[in-house]
Amino acid sequence: MMTDAQSGRTHPVPDSAPSDITSQTVNALEDLSGVHPGYRRAHAKGFCCRASFRSSGLGAAFTTAPHMQEEAETPAIVRFSGVSTNPAMADLLSPAKGMAVQFTLPGGDVTYLVGATVPVFFARTPESFLDIMKTVNETREGERGPIDLIREIITHFSESKESLLAVKLLKPPASYAACHYYCIHAYLFLDSQGNARPVKFEWLPEGGVETLSIKDAAQQREDYLMDELRLRLETAPAVFQLDAIFGEAGDPTDDPTRAWPDDRKRVILGHLYVTDIIEEPEGLLMDPTVMAEGMALSDDPILHFRHSTYTDSYNRRSAGQ
């Protein structure tokens, strides 16, 4: 078992060695930019903030999750990051960004939401994820450019098309606090009667999405996003609205490469107030499969696979690898 340093919550870690596909996948991630001891194998460059989530109470009709109840206020830790495997990569060179949130529930349990600035994932199954990583590494060894790389992936993995096109359309963010983050995977809300409803989550910045022009982006420092947020938080919290999007019959819950239609019902679950930058707590593991009571995992194979890959990555970096 391992213990979350902030909550005392223990997470099950397999006593046996990770599965072959898990090890191969983490190895493939390491091959992208080499091994960086002590860092995550993806989203390597990032920092943490203190935050508080204030529930709207509107989610209480759909879930018994304690942080979604009326007048609930829940302490949280937020980790903003680039998606690259290289912790030294300049902010502008990692186009997609991440926002992971740990909620500390009454009694010390924790739950997580992990989001990114693209609405869908690039792989449908663990097997295709590994195949795509291998293809990326093989293509990079041939010194092909990024356009050729994208063309190669789309040609062999049509499921990646929507995600890669979304990445291609991304503009440099003006701030981590001005990005729209999609939690990508489908989950289940469980109400007091035991009814289950498929749901996805999105974090919307209170001030709207802000991006940089090419001219302004060229003038930014390598770590401009952390500097910008530090200055922003000196005057006011960064605020995000958490929306629940409810799936309907036929909406896929097992395929993170496919988005749901835009007309699905939305409910504002509450607001997250990010107040200050802090040192990353020791042992922090943003595992999106750790759910609160009143929530459950969907049948998404990539979502379930994240637990074993996050655990393997955590064990490697904890060992100084």
Side-chain angles (χ1 to χ4, degrees), residues 204-270:
L204 284 67
E206 184 180 61
V209 173
E210 302 172 26
T211 59
L212 298 175
S213 66
I214 295 177
K215 179 181 178 181
D216 288 341
Q219 299 173 355
Q220 301 304 314
R221 297 173 52 181
E222 288 192 353
D223 302 324
Y224 80 95
L225 287 172
M226 185 175 183
D227 295 339
E228 190 282 336
L229 189 62
R230 192 188 306 277
L231 288 173
R232 180 184 292 252
L233 296 180
E234 287 179 358
T235 57
V239 183
F240 291 90
Q241 175 180 301
L242 179 61
D243 279 9
I245 299 91
F246 289 91
E248 298 180 6
D251 292 340
T253 58
D254 62 348
D255 186 353
T257 70
R258 295 169 57 197
W260 290 351
D262 292 335
D263 62 355
R264 293 301 180 252
K265 176 180 179 178
R266 283 179 176 261
V267 171
I268 299 174
L269 298 176

Side-chain angles (χ1 to χ4, degrees), residues 58-138:
L58 298 177
F62 309 102
T63 176
T64 58
H67 58 312
M68 300 298 174
Q69 303 309 302
E70 187 75 38
E71 298 184 356
E73 185 163 350
T74 305
I77 293 174
V78 179
R79 186 175 186 269
F80 294 108
S81 64
V83 299
S84 172
T85 62
N86 184 354
M89 180 170 283
D91 290 343
L92 286 172
L93 298 181
S94 179
K97 306 302 177 188
M99 175 178 161
V101 181
Q102 174 190 272
F103 303 88
T104 301
L105 306 174
D109 281 351
V110 293
T111 188
Y112 302 92
L113 285 178
V114 175
T117 51
V118 289
V120 291
F121 199 55
F122 61 84
R124 189 176 61 82
T125 67
E127 291 77 14
S128 61
F129 182 98
L130 176 57
D131 287 343
I132 291 168
M133 289 295 98
K134 288 180 176 179
T135 299
V136 170
N137 285 319
E138 291 168 0

Side-chain angles (χ1 to χ4, degrees), residues 2 7 17 49 51 74 76 100 104 106 142-143 163 176 196 243 248 261 275 291 296:
M2 74 183 157
S7 67
C49 295
T74 305
T104 301
E143 297 185 353
S163 177
Y176 274 127
D243 279 9
E248 298 180 6
T275 55
M291 291 283 95

Side-chain angles (χ1 to χ4, degrees), residues 4-6 38-50 77-81 100 102 112 226 276-286 313-314 317-318:
D4 188 293
Q6 288 297 295
Y39 286 91
R40 289 168 171 81
R41 270 41 187 181
H43 295 263
K45 181 180 182 179
F47 60 90
C48 291
C49 295
R50 192 183 345 264
I77 293 174
V78 179
R79 186 175 186 269
F80 294 108
S81 64
Q102 174 190 272
Y112 302 92
M226 185 175 183
D276 55 299
I277 296 175
I278 60 173
E279 289 293 323
E280 178 165 330
E282 183 179 354
L284 184 67
L285 175 61
M286 297 289 200
S313 171
Y314 176 89
R317 63 185 169 95
S318 296

